[in-house]
Amino acid sequence: MALALLIPAAPAMAQTPSPGPNEACQTVDRKVYKDVRTMVTIDLDTATTTQVRLLANQILAEANRESLPVLPNAIQERLNGTADDLRAFLRTDLENAWSTALRVSVAKR
């Protein structure tokens, strides 16, 4: 039970589809967001700049498809910058930006 309290809620929301009642007490399917962390399948240290930019664009497309706030702007900012900035973002800040976007999206619903 104590371990359940240590797991962040936002990433769990990205993986668990569970039906539940809406405001009118009608059962509806909950929106399930894709876990963008699983999209990072390349070694960011050895990947070419083209591979890193392609990955960032794929994540950007997914974030736009799911209408996530925060994340698309953060990725686009890094795409407009240097390759090193983009690598650093994908390595360290992607998960944080994605979690924030999920929390905002879930809170809006």
Side-chain angles (χ1 to χ4, degrees):
M1 178 66 180
L3 183 59
L5 298 175
L6 298 175
I7 299 171
M13 187 64 184
Q15 301 168 1
T16 309
S18 59
N22 62 6
E23 296 80 26
C25 291
Q26 301 295 318
T27 301
V28 294
D29 288 329
R30 301 287 184 204
K31 180 168 172 93
V32 178
Y33 296 94
K34 182 172 178 138
D35 187 343
V36 298
R37 298 172 300 178
T38 62
M39 296 176 73
V40 182
T41 58
I42 60 173
D43 181 2
L44 295 169
D45 294 324
T46 60
T48 65
T49 300
T50 303
Q51 290 172 318
V52 173
R53 294 182 78 69
L54 177 62
L55 173 62
N57 277 302
Q58 290 170 339
I59 294 170
L60 177 61
E62 186 64 28
N64 284 329
R65 187 183 68 74
E66 293 184 346
S67 301
L68 291 175
V70 180
L71 188 56
N73 291 339
I75 294 173
Q76 189 61 57
E77 237 177 72
R78 295 333 182 284
L79 280 167
N80 294 338
T82 67
D84 290 335
D85 289 343
L86 184 57
R87 284 177 202 271
F89 174 77
L90 292 174
R91 191 179 299 113
T92 59
D93 297 333
L94 174 64
E95 185 172 348
N96 209 14
W98 175 69
S99 294
T100 301
L102 283 179
R103 284 185 186 104
V104 171
S105 295
V106 170
K108 284 183 180 179
R109 296 185 125 237

